[in-house]
Amino acid sequence: MNRSSSNHGLSIARQRFFAEGERPTGLVSNVILESWQRCVALGLAAGARPELEPIPSSALTELHDRHEILRRICRPELEALHADAHDTGAIAILTGPDGFVLDAVGDARFLDKAARVALRPGVPWSENATGTNAIGTALVERRPVEVRGAEHYFEPHRILSCSASPIFDPRGRLAGVLDLSGEASVQHVHALGMVRLAVDQIEHRLFEQVCHGREVIRCHRDAALLGTPREALLVFEGHRLVAANRHALELFGFGWDELGRRRYDELFAGALPGAGRDGLLRDHFGTTLHARRDGAATRIAVARPAATPRPPLPRAPAPVFDAQLDADLARAVRLLDADIPILLQGETGTGKEVFARELHRRSARAAAGFVAVNCAALPESLIESELFGYAPGAFTGARREGAPGLLREANGGMLFLDEIGDMPLALQSRLLRVLQEREVTPLGGGRAVAVDFALVAASHRDLEAAVAAQTFRPDLYYRIAQATVRLRALREREDRSELIVRLWTSLGAAAANVRLDEAALATLAAQAWPGNFRQLVGTLRSLLALAEPDSVVDVAQLPPNLRGAQASTPVAPSLAGAASMDELQRLAMQEALAACNGNTSAAARRLGISRSTFYRRLQ
Ligand SMILES: Nc1ncnc2c1ncn2[C@@H]1O[C@H](COP(=O)(O)OP(=O)(O)OP(=O)(O)O)[C@@H](O)[C@H]1O
């Protein structure tokens, strides 16, 4: 089909879909059609100009900080994509896993034009915010997507032609999206292919970085492709497959959800080649594969050049679940898939949100969205409109075209209502009605819209006690508490040493070759950790940030409040007793990092120095 006839077909498709409410099958691909339908269900008005304001610059800096590793890994491909597409004037874009644009590299003229439709850093290009578009739709579909001209949901975006591919980490979690966008009037013939190749490179590099120090098995049918981004990469823990890249999934023919389930002997027949060696392996179909095994020991032994800049610490470790949590997760997934809501109870920091996200990842609704609402963080005056949405002109200050609300945004996916115990009583009744009737009526009138989402609610309050105290409605309680999971406080767990070792490794300690000595580990494991995971992870991040590469952390390096007999020693005397300016500085930074849960920006602000100075002093 040439372009003018395909444009004509698209105009007819739009007319039929938007004006006549028909399904224009055959005129537009199913991916686009399904996306349009999702946008309609969200209440987005295709003819309107979407209000897409970038987040404030301080929030963008924070976003950049959070995705520093991803940005660094993707930079070469962003530059290369832009260079390859230079003739077409297209721009290369990187977004985070939520669709927020992190970087845009390209031709100044088109950058300018793109900025007019808000295709610039700090603006969300998720489908919920921006309608059908390559970035948002690739995030929903979890696969590469092309969206050209009038296939975009919103009229003003017709000027764009975009090709995007999601980027997955070795555990199958979305890390971000790479996109190439240009003018719809220019042909971008190989755009999607270029983006896919670039993502291949990125995922390969991400895998190397995340799994550095682990024993990685590389294989391919063709020996010449071993060591290239086309090779399959696999990591086993014991006998279980815990990480893989897309090529491995393709080779063995299963999806990310099989990670953690498949065993070595289900994939391969015969033993691995020796560590650090090449050899032959047979897969379970009997096909011969060329394989290479990177021994963990060999990799760790490679000395880090002194001048190598330290990679930033991951903000959060990969979730760690013990056997009990794994069993809770498996049970909760079955219940959730049978449409039974789950209530998570546990003290602050016990990982309720982490648990809920993992539930989503393992559930039948994993491909659809995860919408998290913190009922305690939303001001009471806003919570109603945020949750239930509002009709056009419902109240002063409302957006002209109204808003669908978070309950409708969760349609098809999972709604996570955090701190539900803090929801005002009047709203509890409204929420109950939605859960019973499975439809939402926006504030200020309008017709009720059907919603279908899996519900996970959480609270650190004892909701049963709140019902007895009449601060929580019993009928809502019985509705949401059909299946309850109690997340244990860390002080109740006997496996704290093992947990600390796993978190320590996951935070990058193996990559930097920083060890905790036995006494330090025992001291950390003996703590009660009233802030639970949040406090423990914050402390481990601080220790790692301050440790030299290839070193051992001992008890003397632990924050004073954690050091056995000195546990109750106030901060000031320990600072006063420090030996040198360097030691003083080190202690002050350590205290600040611990107080800010390992957030370096916040710790730098606390000390009144810039973030770059803080980093420099950490080197
Ligand atoms: N199972 C886990 N494995 C690794 N890290 C975890 C785990 N659970 C929680 N964490 C860490 O602890 C932090 C707090 O977790 P999360 O926000 O899920 O706790 P919460 O119980 O929802 O807290 P709150 O009640 O205060 O909202 C997370 O940022 C994460 O880094």
Side-chain angles (χ1 to χ4, degrees):
M1 211 187 314
N2 68 31
R3 253 172 355 121
S4 71
S5 64
S6 92
N7 283 344
H8 181 61
L10 251 180
S11 305
I12 300 175
R14 282 191 84 91
Q15 166 71 18
R16 285 207 193 143
F17 184 84
F18 291 108
E20 294 154 24
E22 278 178 28
R23 199 180 149 89
T25 322
L27 290 173
V28 62
S29 74
N30 279 346
V31 171
I32 300 294
L33 202 51
E34 278 160 24
S35 169
W36 285 357
Q37 281 167 332
R38 283 193 294 272
C39 297
V40 168
L42 283 172
L44 304 179
R49 186 171 191 87
E51 280 175 25
L52 295 169
E53 282 303 313
I55 51 175
S57 64
S58 57
L60 181 59
T61 308
E62 175 79 11
L63 200 65
H64 278 165
D65 276 0
R66 190 159 0 121
H67 296 293
E68 208 165 321
I69 296 183
L70 179 73
R71 292 179 70 220
R72 199 157 33 78
I73 286 180
C74 294
R75 194 74 203 178
E77 270 64 42
L78 270 183
E79 302 282 356
L81 258 188
H82 161 236
D84 289 345
H86 185 257
D87 291 346
T88 61
I91 59 175
I93 289 169
L94 173 69
T95 80
D98 42 13
F100 269 90
V101 176
L102 298 171
D103 292 300
V105 180
D107 187 285
R109 273 166 309 140
F110 186 64
L111 272 174
D112 215 34
K113 217 168 189 176
R116 270 182 258 142
V117 289
L119 193 49
R120 58 179 156 146
V123 178
W125 276 73
S126 59
E127 253 189 21
N128 288 353
T130 319
T132 307
N133 74 88
I135 295 166
T137 307
L139 278 172
V140 175
E141 293 280 338
R142 291 172 67 89
R143 61 185 160 124
V145 168
E146 202 158 37
V147 179
R148 295 189 205 158
E151 288 177 342
H152 285 91
Y153 188 77
F154 285 114
E155 295 275 347
H157 298 159
R158 279 167 171 244
I159 62 159
L160 300 172
S161 178
C162 309
S163 307
S165 168
I167 302 167
F168 287 99
D169 78 5
R171 284 174 171 262
R173 287 170 304 202
L174 277 166
V177 175
L178 190 70
D179 167 271
L180 193 61
S181 287
E183 301 217 26
S185 55
V186 178
Q187 281 230 299
H188 304 271
V189 195
H190 301 298
L192 194 58
M194 281 157 56
V195 170
R196 290 169 97 130
L197 281 177
V199 167
D200 249 8
Q201 299 267 8
I202 290 170
E203 287 181 347
H204 194 259
R205 213 173 305 134
L206 187 60
F207 201 103
E208 299 278 6
Q209 174 126 10
V210 173
C211 298
H212 181 67
R214 308 283 298 264
E215 187 176 84
V216 177
I217 297 169
R218 303 158 188 275
C219 46
H220 201 282
R221 292 195 183 103
D222 181 348
L225 292 178
L226 270 188
T228 73
R230 303 263 301 280
E231 67 187 351
L233 298 169
L234 304 103
V235 172
F236 290 87
E237 233 170 57
H239 286 281
R240 278 207 287 173
L241 179 68
V242 292
N245 68 350
R246 263 198 269 208
H247 293 298
L249 302 184
E250 277 160 26
L251 185 65
F252 292 103
F254 53 74
W256 297 110
D257 50 345
E258 291 295 312
L259 291 186
R261 295 194 188 137
R262 294 289 176 143
R263 293 168 53 90
Y264 176 85
D265 52 12
E266 287 178 77
L267 307 184
F268 297 109
L272 286 171
R277 298 259 186 78
D278 286 8
L280 293 177
L281 262 180
R282 266 183 203 288
D283 68 13
H284 60 313
F285 301 117
T287 313
T288 303
L289 300 171
H290 296 270
R292 180 174 301 160
R293 175 179 170 195
D294 288 339
T298 349
R299 296 176 66 80
I300 291 171
V302 176
R304 293 159 56 90
T308 308
R310 278 176 86 159
L313 292 175
R315 190 161 279 261
V320 173
F321 301 113
D322 64 352
Q324 158 93 58
L325 281 170
D326 236 356
D328 287 343
L329 274 164
R331 183 175 150 268
V333 166
R334 277 207 299 280
L335 290 164
L336 207 63
D337 286 347
D339 217 16
I340 295 167
I342 308 285
L343 174 65
L344 306 179
Q345 293 259 244
E347 290 175 13
T348 182
T350 44
K352 298 184 287 297
E353 180 160 353
V354 168
F355 188 95
R357 286 186 186 276
E358 182 67 16
L359 260 183
H360 173 245
R361 204 182 72 79
R362 297 189 189 186
S363 78
R365 294 177 187 254
F370 176 91
V371 174
V373 185
N374 186 331
C375 304
L378 281 174
E380 211 172 312
S381 55
L382 269 188
I383 191 166
E384 191 169 17
S385 56
E386 285 288 315
L387 277 179
F388 302 98
Y390 52 86
F395 51 85
T396 328
R399 277 195 264 154
R400 214 172 345 114
E401 71 275 23
L406 294 165
L407 296 185
R408 276 168 69 191
E409 278 183 24
N411 194 33
M414 181 185 284
L415 178 70
F416 175 53
L417 286 179
D418 200 2
E419 301 306 357
I420 196 167
D422 293 31
M423 184 179 267
L425 274 167
L427 288 188
Q428 292 178 19
S429 332
R430 272 202 81 176
L431 175 65
L432 180 64
R433 235 179 1 261
V434 172
L435 298 181
Q436 277 166 348
E437 289 160 18
R438 303 232 149 218
E439 51 181 37
V440 182
T441 312
L443 232 73
R447 65 187 173 85
V449 182
V451 281
D452 164 40
F453 49 74
L455 178 70
V456 179
S459 180
H460 71 280
R461 296 182 198 284
D462 177 350
L463 287 191
E464 213 171 349
V467 168
Q470 300 189 343
T471 54
F472 200 82
R473 287 187 64 114
D475 40 11
L476 179 59
Y477 174 72
Y478 294 117
R479 182 90 204 176
I480 62 171
Q482 295 174 44
T484 304
V485 177
R486 192 180 153 270
L487 295 174
R488 284 164 302 156
L490 289 193
R491 69 178 169 282
E492 297 170 55
R493 290 181 58 163
E494 276 160 11
D495 61 341
R496 286 199 296 272
S497 299
E498 193 192 322
L499 180 64
I500 290 169
V501 171
R502 288 177 70 182
L503 291 171
W504 184 248
T505 311
S506 160
L507 283 167
N513 197 19
V514 180
R515 274 197 322 106
L516 269 176
D517 81 359
E518 269 183 37
L521 176 60
T523 308
L524 289 172
Q527 306 294 322
W529 300 109
N532 296 300
F533 268 105
R534 186 174 287 113
Q535 186 192 9
L536 172 59
V537 168
T539 303
L540 297 181
R541 285 189 89 237
S542 315
L543 287 172
L544 263 173
L546 292 166
E548 296 298 330
D550 307 310
S551 68
V552 178
V553 172
D554 58 22
V555 175
Q557 284 158 271
L558 301 185
N561 58 324
L562 300 185
R563 272 186 242 146
Q566 298 168 36
S568 57
T569 312
V571 173
S574 78
L575 282 175
S580 64
M581 276 309 287
D582 278 351
E583 181 67 0
L584 271 177
Q585 185 169 293
R586 184 185 170 82
L587 275 168
M589 289 167 71
Q590 196 165 355
E591 295 290 347
L593 272 171
C596 301
N597 286 332
N599 178 332
T600 37
S601 304
R605 266 199 307 279
R606 193 182 168 100
L607 293 176
I609 56 178
S610 72
R611 213 177 117 259
S612 52
T613 310
F614 193 90
Y615 268 124
R616 212 177 41 252
R617 289 185 189 163
L618 281 183
Q619 303 298 314

